[in-house]
Amino acid sequence: SDTSLADVEGVALADVQRVGRVEAQLRPYQEAGVRWLIAMAENNRGAILADDMGLGKTLQTAALLSHVYATRQDNQLPSLIIMPSTLLFNWHAELQRFVPQLQKYTYVGKQALDNLFGLERLFNFCNVILTTYGYARQHISALQRFEFDYIIFDESQTIKNPKSKTYQALSTLRSRHKLSLTGTPIENNLRELWAQINLVSPNSLGSLPTYEHTFVHPIEVDGNEERLSKLKALAGQYILRRTKTEVLSELPKLTIQTILCDMSDEQRELYEREKSAVRNYILSFADDQQSKRFVALQALTKLRQLANHPRMCVDDYEGSSGKADAVLEHLTSIVDGKHKVLVFSSFVRDLELLASQLQERGIRYEYLTGQTHDRQSVVSRFSNDDDIKVLLMTIKVGGVGLNLTVADYVLIINPWWNPASEAQAYSRAHRMGQANNVSVYRFISKDSIEEKIDVMQRRKAILAKGILDVSVPTDDELNELLS
């Protein structure tokens, strides 16, 4: 880990006798993480808990809050936890499980109060208030009137853009302490590292223009290793990150295999025809860079769809898909072997096509996308019904906030721009509580845009060294992908 628990510059670990009542046995690294968080607060520093997915960031946060409200009896303030809307049920359930003694309130939807007098009475009664990023922004004028003990941003990469209205609104909220939770500290570029640290510890890395001049351009453009090392050291004062391989020696083996799929003849013909048309069309925007980028991203999406199954974007396509056939073959074999499997795609239409094939074969499945309202019921049915072996999910929705250790196979049926998103996806199964080895299969169509995305993933992963993951292509990378 880049961050030492025992020797963080300017921060001495507190001699904490107790971390409050928690209905769980904290592992040594989790207790060390709680102590680090307490020490950061006692030294008036914002903190980013960036442990690998599946290492219990929610439990460590619950233990921190238990400590806060067990030891601070006077002048108590409520704490506010802000998260993506899909994680509300998970947070409420986990807090109820680990720290049932804390008073909780979900400030969203019909349960929310709009009048300030009611809010003041409610907030004085509660220890923990749960809300979403969208709702917090919508009700920012009300929330600005209160001071909180902790403001906790879960999956904080959700608000990675410092110019966004949500980021700017949430930056105005007042609290004694701020904490961000994320398994992927940086999803886009080094500017987002500034945004993450600035959110919990304003001005610690200077202004954004100064930061760009000092670090972003020297590192991203010139590859300056000295500046990269300096930035890691600075970031390490605010970020604690442990990986599963470091702290979970008992975790079952994880195997990742990439399967190259030949496109069918009719699929390849359609793909090559579209690729040629795209190149010629993009050239017509040579003098309009903004339009060129927009058109290029649209073209990339269509090429990715064709590489998966042309029926995703061509309604009258009657041919087959080499990848779809390979995915179905592997999926059928896994189900026949009595295993449970998670299937991730970037496209809802992709999952719909696969679902229809499963129905034809009498294979029961569950389905989870951004349109799913009751995620808890979906997860419960998949986890508890032995006859349901398949859970279909979009990588965006299914990649966070879920514990699915009943599955020991994961299929990723199209690559995403950054490896961190894929790692989040298979970490739904490869985490604490998993008793079996986990096998991950990544499906890539040969001689397609997907192969270039895969190469880009590996190159960026090597460059990043745990700090920089690129999730959307730059202009130069767009040109490379379409070359």
Side-chain angles (χ1 to χ4, degrees):
S1 172
D2 291 330
T3 306
S4 169
L5 287 174
D7 185 21
V8 181
E9 183 179 350
V11 177
L13 283 180
D15 182 15
V16 182
Q17 299 301 318
R18 59 196 291 256
V19 293
R21 182 164 64 88
V22 181
E23 302 297 329
Q25 181 64 49
L26 272 68
R27 292 169 179 254
Y29 77 86
Q30 292 172 331
E31 185 167 345
V34 176
R35 293 176 186 275
W36 181 81
L37 291 171
I38 294 171
M40 294 294 280
E42 290 183 347
N43 286 271
N44 296 314
R45 281 195 170 181
I48 301 174
L49 182 58
D51 282 347
D52 217 349
M53 291 76 70
L55 292 186
K57 293 186 290 293
T58 303
L59 174 56
Q60 292 175 74
T61 304
L64 170 69
L65 293 174
S66 179
H67 168 81
V68 168
Y69 293 106
T71 58
R72 192 180 298 156
Q73 300 297 332
D74 299 327
N75 194 23
Q76 281 194 353
L77 297 173
S79 291
L80 178 67
I81 307 179
I82 314 175
M83 68 202 71
S85 59
T86 53
L87 301 185
L88 270 174
F89 90 83
N90 186 70
W91 262 102
H92 191 276
E94 294 290 86
L95 289 178
Q96 186 61 32
R97 172 187 173 193
F98 296 135
V99 285
Q101 74 276 16
L102 297 185
Q103 297 296 325
K104 297 165 283 291
Y105 181 75
T106 301
Y107 182 58
V108 68
K110 295 179 180 179
Q111 289 182 265
L113 290 176
D114 291 321
N115 68 83
L116 291 177
F117 176 72
L119 280 180
E120 185 172 3
R121 292 183 61 190
L122 174 68
F123 287 4
N124 287 336
F125 173 73
C126 287
N127 301 124
V128 182
I129 299 156
L130 305 173
T131 193
T132 68
Y133 286 113
Y135 209 82
R137 175 187 163 187
Q138 182 182 352
H139 291 251
I140 194 66
S141 59
L143 294 174
Q144 283 173 334
R145 296 173 178 264
F146 299 92
E147 183 182 10
F148 299 96
D149 198 315
Y150 264 91
I151 295 179
I152 298 168
F153 306 96
D154 189 32
E155 300 294 345
S156 57
Q157 74 277 2
T158 304
I159 50 170
K160 59 195 174 187
N161 181 4
K163 296 181 180 179
S164 71
K165 292 182 179 179
T166 300
Y167 183 97
Q168 293 175 358
L170 298 185
S171 297
T172 65
L173 295 177
R174 296 178 296 123
S175 64
R176 291 168 174 165
H177 313 293
K178 289 184 178 179
L179 166 64
S180 284
L181 309 173
T182 174
T184 52
I186 307 300
E187 274 198 332
N188 213 6
N189 52 49
L190 285 179
R191 291 170 184 83
E192 292 172 3
L193 177 61
W194 178 90
Q196 290 285 306
I197 293 177
N198 193 69
L199 186 65
V200 299
S201 187
N203 302 315
S204 295
L205 295 181
S207 68
L208 182 55
T210 299
Y211 172 81
E212 290 177 330
H213 176 75
T214 306
F215 295 110
V216 177
H217 297 299
I219 294 171
E220 293 188 354
V221 178
D222 303 328
N224 190 313
E225 292 290 339
E226 182 179 349
R227 293 291 176 88
L228 178 62
S229 297
K230 184 175 181 180
L231 179 57
K232 283 186 176 181
L234 288 172
Q237 298 179 30
Y238 304 94
I239 300 175
L240 175 63
R241 178 169 177 79
R242 281 82 56 91
T243 66
K244 285 184 286 191
T245 54
E246 290 173 339
V247 298
L248 292 183
S249 58
E250 76 279 17
L251 200 64
K253 182 180 179 181
L254 174 70
T255 303
I256 303 175
Q257 181 179 351
T258 297
I259 298 175
L260 293 177
C261 309
D262 285 313
M263 287 188 275
S264 65
D265 291 341
E266 57 268 60
Q267 180 185 15
R268 183 179 300 280
E269 181 181 352
L270 186 58
Y271 180 90
E272 292 297 333
R273 188 164 65 243
E274 180 66 24
K275 185 172 67 173
S276 297
V278 162
R279 287 174 178 166
N280 295 331
Y281 186 53
I282 289 177
L283 287 174
S284 67
F285 291 90
D287 298 327
D288 186 348
Q289 291 300 314
Q290 184 173 357
S291 296
K292 180 180 179 181
R293 178 174 177 82
F294 176 75
V295 170
L297 286 170
Q298 282 189 318
L300 282 176
T301 298
K302 187 169 184 179
L303 288 175
R304 291 178 66 210
Q305 291 173 333
L306 291 171
N308 280 275
H309 201 310
R311 206 173 297 167
M312 292 173 63
C313 55
V314 182
D315 291 337
D316 59 354
Y317 180 78
E318 297 294 337
S320 61
S321 161
K323 181 194 283 190
D325 292 344
V327 168
L328 190 60
E329 180 182 347
H330 278 77
L331 194 53
T332 302
S333 177
I334 291 168
V335 171
D336 288 345
K338 308 300 182 185
H339 295 278
K340 294 211 175 207
V341 55
L342 312 179
V343 182
F344 290 94
S345 175
S346 304
F347 304 103
V348 173
R349 178 59 177 156
D350 204 7
L351 298 176
E352 291 173 346
L353 292 172
L354 182 54
S356 66
Q357 293 177 311
L358 294 177
Q359 287 176 345
E360 290 176 4
R361 288 159 177 77
I363 298 175
R364 294 182 62 191
Y365 64 89
E366 283 292 338
Y367 193 74
L368 192 59
T369 71
Q371 302 303 312
T372 305
H373 296 294
D374 191 353
R375 285 163 49 104
Q376 189 170 9
S377 294
V378 171
V379 171
S380 178
R381 286 193 298 268
F382 174 72
S383 299
N384 298 317
D385 190 333
D386 290 338
D387 292 330
I388 300 176
K389 301 295 186 185
V390 182
L391 177 55
L392 306 176
M393 292 181 283
T394 53
I395 200 165
K396 183 175 182 180
V397 172
V400 295
L402 296 175
N403 188 334
L404 296 165
T405 53
V406 293
D408 54 355
Y409 281 85
V410 179
L411 306 188
I412 298 175
I413 57 181
N414 38 64
W416 191 233
W417 301 115
N418 70 316
S421 293
E422 291 188 11
Q424 280 189 311
Y426 59 69
S427 287
R428 300 310 102 204
H430 192 243
R431 60 197 298 125
M432 287 185 296
Q434 178 59 261
N436 302 310
N437 294 335
V438 176
S439 298
V440 179
Y441 294 104
R442 304 173 63 247
F443 292 84
I444 292 176
S445 291
K446 287 180 61 177
D447 304 319
S448 77
I449 197 77
E450 292 187 333
E451 278 197 301
K452 292 190 175 185
I453 293 173
D454 192 45
V455 170
M456 182 187 296
Q457 276 194 7
R458 294 197 298 269
R459 185 174 69 236
K460 291 301 181 181
I462 292 172
L463 172 66
K465 301 294 186 183
I467 276 194
L468 175 62
D469 293 315
V470 173
S471 63
V472 292
T474 64
D475 289 338
D476 289 341
E477 288 167 344
L478 281 175
N479 293 332
E480 178 186 341
L481 288 169
L482 292 169
S483 64

